[in-house]
Amino acid sequence: MIMRMSSLFLRTLREDPADAEVPSHKLLVRAGYVRRAAPGIYTWLPLGLKVLRKVEAIVREEMDAIGAQELTFPALLPREPYEATNRWTEYGDSLFRVVDRKGADYLLGPTHEEMFTLTVKDLYSSYKDLPLSIYQIQNKYRDEARPRAGILRGREFVMKDSYSFDVDDAGLEASYQAHRDAYVRIFDRLGFDYAIVKATSGAMGGSRSEEFLAKADVGEDTYVRSPGGYAANVEAVTTLAPEPVPFDDAPAAHAEDTPDTPTIATLVDHLNAAHPREDRPWAAGDTLKNVLLMLKHPDGTKEPLAIGLPGDREVDQKRLEGQLEPIEVEPMTDEELKEFPALVKGYIGPAYDGRTILGEESESGIRYLVDPRVVEGTRWVTGANSPGQHVLDLVAGRDFTADGTIEAAEVKAGDPAPDGSGPLELARGIEMGHVFQLGRKYAEALDLKVLDENGKLVTVTMGSYGIGVSRAVGAIAEGTLDEIGLCWPRHVAPADVHLVAAGKDEAIFAAADRIATELSQAGVEVLYDDRTGKISPGVKFKDAELIGVPTIVVVGKNLATDGTVEVRDRKSGEKQALAADHVVAHLVDLVRTA
Amino acid sequence: MIMRMSSLFLRTLREDPADAEVPSHKLLVRAGYVRRAAPGIYTWLPLGLKVLRKVEAIVREEMDAIGAQELTFPALLPREPYEATNRWTEYGDSLFRVVDRKGADYLLGPTHEEMFTLTVKDLYSSYKDLPLSIYQIQNKYRDEARPRAGILRGREFVMKDSYSFDVDDAGLEASYQAHRDAYVRIFDRLGFDYAIVKATSGAMGGSRSEEFLAKADVGEDTYVRSPGGYAANVEAVTTLAPEPVPFDDAPAAHAEDTPDTPTIATLVDHLNAAHPREDRPWAAGDTLKNVLLMLKHPDGTKEPLAIGLPGDREVDQKRLEGQLEPIEVEPMTDEELKEFPALVKGYIGPAYDGRTILGEESESGIRYLVDPRVVEGTRWVTGANSPGQHVLDLVAGRDFTADGTIEAAEVKAGDPAPDGSGPLELARGIEMGHVFQLGRKYAEALDLKVLDENGKLVTVTMGSYGIGVSRAVGAIAEGTLDEIGLCWPRHVAPADVHLVAAGKDEAIFAAADRIATELSQAGVEVLYDDRTGKISPGVKFKDAELIGVPTIVVVGKNLATDGTVEVRDRKSGEKQALAADHVVAHLVDLVRTA
């Protein structure tokens, strides 16, 4: 196949598009791969479509290799099944909704658990039909609040979603493992650096869950890793709770005036001045911060929540919401705070002086959850529920008891890995794939049962496995680009060779034409810059660097002097002069052995 | 590739689905190719997706062969471009509309003229960039009032749409011809009987236009053909108007009482009784029927229209609407008729006795268009605008003049072809493809201009070319099925060979396994019925006939007796016994030479 630049539907741009934030997005637009049609909605131009199709083909091959069967569901879906699983409501504003001419409600599918489940229910009825893995590669829709980063987070995007159906947990585990292995092969073949991290399953429910993250500074996902090999999405990190502390000889809780301590830092200064300690100075981690939030349910109702956590940590809203999905979290406003007269702003503590302020059974009645580090016996400095006063030596389990614990605190570099494998390091990534065990949530909601060996109806257990196919194109671009342009791994590049006819001599074009034809006949995909007229060799080189085909071949002046052409490796920049007569064989070999 | 029936996600059904009207739809559901997700919205199960992909591949190859370049636009599109061309309004209820979380209007693309035009405008600026042909194969959406016939008329469907861009009319003609030729190759390869007919361009505007219709009794499109080779969609047929008739010796128009003539038939009876003619009896065609309609504009406003046509013809609403699009046509209600006191229901005529009743300048003010057969000098019997009275010898051009002519009358078998090529025959078909010259309509609306050779800005001229890809699957099924099931042409069949292991002997399965493996290794696609247990050979044969793979190979009892297997041609039913050892070579040859 030869794509000729003289007729290719392509215009490279020298300027970055105004709305582009991340490097890959800028380059994909500038190099003519994609173009914005609306916020978060992109057109795939010929070069971009070639890359997208190659990624799709790799995904398809590996899914087929594990016996998954491809089908295609509609993108426009009826409301009813999503009503049955409550996702019509839970998805909230993220769902694109459509009303047809008869007034019936539809949605543009964000994921297809319901449709897959119902179709299996429709066709299958016996344990003998299982296990089954089915998948599709198809447009998905989510009305993101802040579509950004081009195709990395679009509102219309291509996704591969597969689902496994098994009669028991062991079967699910095997299906999960098969998919996980296939994903490793897929991401290896796509040719970029990724991490596999533990994940929460979010709105999906279910148990075992892992994400495949492309390592990228621009990634929206933060994950952690330890020297001993622990890796998890921050949402999934569990805190290593300390052992309970004996508190028999702890002094009684006692309040004191703490004037001019509007912040934790000033409170710590006060403590170090008023109560200097010999072993170690007071620190923010000695204080108990009580954060008041409002939980917003999908149906619009709100409820208050108080979270107690060490003063050296903030609440990580994304981490918190990851556990509460589909509930959204907002700070409690001053107006809302007025509803709770027991709460003294700036001096809130869970209990003191015979009063209980936070907790379902307390004066405020607000549910009170604490960080797992707030174990029995730990002593805290916190608000005394009296203006200008804090209480010291407030002991968890003696002076106050929370309604439970919650993983709401930010994860920090240096925190211990929960499996004891060392201190955590933070990194950023782009979620490329997600495998998880849905379990029986959807099968129960939609009544998917089969007869087992004993003729008894059993509920099917499911796995759900997604790959962001269009996002992968962005992530590969992001992970491989350099300062001069895109730099595609060979297996997903829009062509194998970018052939440049550099000069005006007829002999140059004749030689380049011959090379293009011979390469094409040998099955090598050629992007051939055959443009004539005012396009200088310099412009052609810049375009080739920007477009990022892995091998650039320049037919130029040396052809006349010593009969050679130049073969450049786009990534390393290495150049090699080869006899024009031998270059085709060399390139065919290069491409075939890649 | 081997698809094993033991694990294939497939259940054939013995009963027709309740909602299926046409044979292909019934069989595609029963044989497990597609499944309804909502009215007009279908899931493509594994077998169906294979056929769809093969059709797509053929379309893609032929588009690439004429140098058309593939890209993909979003399905979810912003309102603005469709506003600029007025299609946001013109499409009316047929458009699926979406409002995003920020309140912005979107639509699900029914066709993409606007997006293609804007993208070319965005990238290109010179005549040197043209000609250009670009295309996509992608989901389209139309909220059909009566989705029917399964995938033949869906609300979500796969379409290939391409557009050509040229600097002048000669260029457009060449691009049009290239597409037309490619379409001939595509439909030839798809393997079904089709007709190419002249068409109107409907809501699209433009000039030259042809449709590719699959010949099918269940088709929604009626077309005509003549012995001399004329072929046109009924909407596009033009009436061969007779020459004007001299009327110097025509008697003056004269009214008479015509009691008890509520219908044209009774009026004709009255005429034959009261005014017997020697040369030929009075017939319905001697009367002038005046039909009152309301034209409904996309913005909801209505205007009246009167159509005069020979009394032996009805108004063909589809034909009329085809010319008036996007205007819809409704009969005038009695309530609406009351607004026009000059009109006497049942006795309406254009003029008589010094009064003019129909026409823009008449008493009613209603625009009056007549059938092209109502030429100057023709004499008519029509209403006298007086209860119980008709007028005779009302001469067109003497006694009344219409505001113009219109092609609103039904086309009848036996009507003369407009090109003089003989009497027309009526036939039905399914619209599979449409090629037409858009001209400059979209380029003007969206200001797509390029610099010509002289540095002058000229408006680009466009062609638009569509193929209903998912519809083609239905049309091929419809055109090839027989009384026992589907019967795919080889190039689009879900597999090359349907291999049936018929029996319980291990030797049968061993031989079938070997044949399946060897065929697959030779690149032959095998659908292998390897089911064990209670599935009888009879059930397997019925499934094979229903599924419709062109070659069925049965490994059964004869294997033990004389070492042969049976090769059946699904279409002809011909059976052949071949030595099991030689069958693979035979089948490979059969598939390769097809």
Side-chain angles (χ1 to χ4, degrees), chain A residues 11 35 122 129 143 155, chain B residues 11 35 101 106 122 129:
Chain A
R11 276 297 168 277
R35 199 155 269 259
D122 207 6
D129 299 326
D143 196 359
R155 298 198 293 168
Chain B
R11 275 299 168 275
R35 199 155 269 261
R101 67 196 297 152
Y106 287 81
D122 207 6
D129 298 325

Side-chain angles (χ1 to χ4, degrees), chain B residues 497-517:
Chain B
V497 171
H498 189 133
L499 176 66
V500 178
K504 301 204 166 188
D505 296 358
E506 268 183 40
I508 286 175
F509 279 86
D513 282 353
R514 179 186 59 76
I515 292 170
T517 304

